[in-house]
Amino acid sequence: WWSGEYMRLATSDQAESTIDGKRWALASTLLPQLGSIPINLIGVRHLRELRHSLRDRAPSTVNGYLTIVGAILHYAVECEILAKVPKLGLLKVPDQAFEVYSDAEIDAMLAGSTDPVWRCAVLLGADAGLRAGEIRALTREHVAGGKVVVMHGEYGGKIQTTKGKATRVVAMGTKRLRAAVAEVLALHIGPRLLVRLNERRKVDRAWLREHVADHPSASTADRVRAWKRSGGEDVSATAMWGAIRALRNPDVVPAYYG
């Protein structure tokens, strides 16, 4: 019941990334700790034992696990399996200080590559505040009139709603961002703003299959270098990453990767 009915019936409206996070939390921690206990017998003592087992984790991480348990228990109350939800005992989390890249660090990232796609991706994050998945999901129609319309995110090769399930419009407030977007638009690389359509086809699938098998822990950059040493055409790390994903997960990698 813990990982079956709740995940099947109560998470259908949640983002794929959220569902994957819950699956991982259940499989790695919650089921080993609580899965053998009938859900209608779960009490404060069990939750304290769970908190104790996670004592070496950050308070926010512990609260994440407890929140998932709480959602399952609330669902059990709705199903009239449990009379009430026991007190979760969420931990106090210190105010989080977010680290922001300095102008010098952003300039260093921009100087590290002449690739217009890379530079545009960096600036969409740095100057417009987009998340990585939102950047990957952008289409050409989403950037016009000096504004970026954020409607979707990409996760696991699939296009889904944004994290907050709300569309937002962000101004391209810096000259360098507007210039970077204009440069990428002029490339006509495909319907996705920053995803090249054809580069993945340059990577021979037989070579890649053998290389992935022989060097399973190699980085994408290492594979790009190995591909070039073998006499292959020049490809970007993005294209190599797309080729690897297509090799491992042909059913979930969208067509726009080529």
Side-chain angles (χ1 to χ4, degrees), residues 11-24:
T11 63
S12 58
D13 62 339
Q14 297 177 4
E16 193 69 28
S17 55
T18 300
I19 295 173
D20 281 352
K22 288 184 175 182
R23 287 197 186 106
W24 183 86

Side-chain angles (χ1 to χ4, degrees), residues 140-201:
R140 299 172 64 85
E141 291 74 21
H142 290 154
V143 288
K147 297 178 181 179
V148 181
V149 181
V150 186
M151 300 177 62
H152 303 100
E154 186 268 349
Y155 175 77
K158 299 179 182 179
I159 300 300
Q160 59 181 21
T161 59
T162 60
K163 189 171 183 179
K165 294 190 176 182
T167 297
R168 69 184 192 276
V169 179
V170 182
M172 287 189 260
T174 64
K175 183 178 180 180
R176 63 182 182 179
L177 174 57
R178 294 191 294 271
V181 169
E183 186 176 6
V184 170
L185 287 173
L187 296 176
H188 301 290
I189 59 176
R192 300 282 160 184
L193 181 67
L194 300 179
V195 179
R196 297 172 173 86
L197 272 175
N198 298 318
E199 280 194 340
R200 200 196 72 193
R201 297 195 182 103

Side-chain angles (χ1 to χ4, degrees), residues 30-198:
L30 298 180
L31 286 178
Q33 289 277 340
L34 302 173
S36 62
I37 306 169
I39 198 163
N40 61 325
L41 298 181
I42 293 290
V44 171
R45 178 174 62 85
H46 301 106
L47 298 178
R48 286 180 176 173
E49 289 175 350
L50 175 63
R51 290 199 304 273
H52 180 73
S53 71
L54 298 170
R55 60 190 178 279
D56 294 331
R57 307 285 187 92
S60 58
T61 301
V62 177
N63 286 350
Y65 286 116
L66 290 171
T67 300
I68 293 172
V69 173
I72 295 173
L73 295 178
H74 277 288
Y75 180 67
V77 171
E78 291 178 8
C79 295
E80 300 181 349
I81 296 171
L82 188 66
K84 66 176 183 178
V85 177
K87 186 177 180 180
L88 297 177
L90 296 176
L91 303 179
K92 185 176 181 179
V93 179
D95 292 336
Q96 186 175 1
F98 292 97
E99 294 186 8
V100 179
Y101 286 116
S102 67
D103 290 339
E105 289 172 323
I106 295 171
D107 289 341
M109 285 189 282
L110 295 173
S113 176
T114 58
D115 182 357
V117 171
W118 162 258
R119 294 172 62 85
C120 187
V122 169
L123 290 172
L124 282 167
D127 290 0
L130 271 66
R131 301 180 177 93
E134 294 170 345
I135 294 172
R136 292 194 297 269
L138 281 178
T139 68
R140 299 172 64 85
E141 291 74 21
H142 290 154
V143 288
K147 297 178 181 179
V148 181
V149 181
V150 186
M151 300 177 62
H152 303 100
E154 186 268 349
Y155 175 77
K158 299 179 182 179
I159 300 300
Q160 59 181 21
T161 59
T162 60
K163 189 171 183 179
K165 294 190 176 182
T167 297
R168 69 184 192 276
V169 179
V170 182
M172 287 189 260
T174 64
K175 183 178 180 180
R176 63 182 182 179
L177 174 57
R178 294 191 294 271
V181 169
E183 186 176 6
V184 170
L185 287 173
L187 296 176
H188 301 290
I189 59 176
R192 300 282 160 184
L193 181 67
L194 300 179
V195 179
R196 297 172 173 86
L197 272 175
N198 298 318

